[in-house]
Amino acid sequence: MNRITDYIRSLEPDGSPVLTAIEREAREAFVPIIRKETGALLKTLVAGTRPKAILEVGTAVGYSALLMASVMEPDCHITTIEKYEKRIPIARDNFRRAGREGDITLLEGDAEEIMKSLPEGSFDFIFMDAAKGQYIHWLPTVLGLLAPGGMLVSDNVLQDGDIIESRFAVERRNRTIHSRMREYLFVLKHTEGLETSVIPIGDGVTVSVKRADRKEIT
C-alpha cells in the first residue's frame, strides 16, 4: 500500500511557488498539514461542487485553506477557525503571501463556540480537520451549518489504521479518541438524510452529502 501511495503522490504536479514553500515550511516544522493525496481529493471535491461558502474547522498554518482557494470559484469565500494561538499569525501571513487575505476569513477561538454563533445553513462545503476527539460532539452543530445539498469532508478518520483495532489493542492514551471516532463514523453512516462514503486515502477521509430532499437530519 505504501508503494501505491508513493506512486499517487509522484503524479501530483507542483503547486504554486508560494504553496510549495508553505508546504515545505510546515513539514519542516512538523506542523500536521493535509497529506498530499488527501489534498488532491479535497481540491477535486471543491472544484466539482463549486461552493459559494466554505467553512474549515482547523486552520493550522492555512495550507489546506489555500489549497481550496486555489480551485474555488471567484465568488466563493472561506471561513476558517483556529484556536492554537501560535499558528494564527503564521496562517495570516501565509494568506497574505498567497494574496488571499480578501478570500479567507480567519476566526480565532474555540471552534464549538464560534460555530454556534454562525448562521444555520450558511455553508455549502465544510472541511473538518481539527481535534479528532471532538468531531462527534461538533457534528450536530456542523450539520446545522451545512446547507441542503452541501458536502461535509472530514480528515484523519482512520487514525493510521488504529480504527479497525479493538480499543484494548490501542494505546491507553488514544482510547478515548479511538472510541469517539468509531462512534463518529457509525453516526455518519447511519444518519438519515446523509449519504457518506469512507475513503481509505491519506489517513482516511469521509465525504458526506446532506441530501437536499430531506428537510431534517435525524
Side-chain angles (χ1 to χ4, degrees):
M1 192 64 181
N2 288 337
R3 291 178 62 194
I4 293 176
T5 300
D6 289 342
Y7 175 66
I8 292 171
R9 290 177 179 175
S10 75
L11 294 173
E12 284 300 306
D14 293 333
S16 69
V18 172
L19 263 177
T20 300
I22 291 170
E23 178 187 16
R24 184 188 66 252
E25 292 162 8
R27 298 199 189 283
E28 289 175 351
F30 301 102
V31 175
I33 61 172
I34 193 169
R35 301 188 189 189
K36 191 174 287 289
E37 64 276 20
T38 310
L41 174 63
L42 183 64
K43 287 170 60 180
T44 301
L45 293 173
V46 170
T49 56
R50 303 174 69 183
K52 300 298 182 186
I54 297 174
L55 174 64
E56 177 186 52
V57 185
T59 313
V61 294
Y63 179 68
S64 53
L66 289 172
L67 280 182
M68 292 188 285
S70 71
V71 296
M72 70 187 188
E73 296 292 305
D75 58 347
C76 181
H77 191 85
I78 297 174
T79 300
T80 184
I81 303 171
E82 180 58 48
K83 182 178 182 180
Y84 189 33
E85 293 181 359
K86 291 184 178 179
R87 289 183 182 149
I88 289 170
I90 300 173
R92 292 195 186 281
D93 184 58
N94 286 337
F95 297 153
R96 180 193 57 76
R97 290 166 65 187
R100 290 289 188 173
E101 311 101 301
D103 302 318
I104 304 172
T105 298
L106 197 166
L107 303 179
E108 305 177 26
D110 180 76
E112 185 171 12
E113 292 180 6
I114 290 173
M115 285 192 289
K116 287 182 177 179
S117 72
L118 299 174
E120 286 203 5
S122 54
F123 299 96
D124 39 12
F125 193 101
I126 298 178
F127 179 49
M128 293 264 281
D129 190 21
K132 311 306 174 279
Q134 299 303 315
Y135 282 14
I136 186 63
H137 298 310
W138 292 338
L139 187 58
T141 302
V142 167
L143 292 179
L145 293 173
L146 191 63
M151 179 176 288
L152 166 63
V153 179
S154 307
D155 196 15
N156 303 119
V157 299
L158 297 183
Q159 300 179 309
D160 286 318
D162 279 354
I163 200 71
I164 64 173
E165 304 292 344
S166 159
R167 71 184 301 271
F168 299 106
V170 177
E171 290 186 31
R172 185 180 296 273
R173 62 190 174 93
N174 294 328
R175 287 179 184 173
T176 298
I177 293 177
H178 176 268
S179 61
R180 288 181 180 179
M181 186 57 75
R182 287 180 71 121
E183 182 184 1
Y184 181 70
L185 294 176
F186 183 89
V187 171
L188 286 181
K189 291 295 293 185
H190 293 83
T191 295
E192 188 174 355
L194 277 185
E195 294 295 335
T196 296
S197 178
V198 183
I199 305 173
I201 189 172
D203 192 23
V205 179
T206 54
V207 178
S208 306
V209 174
K210 185 176 182 178
R211 289 172 52 181
D213 62 332
R214 298 296 181 94
K215 294 181 179 180
E216 296 182 357
I217 293 288
T218 58

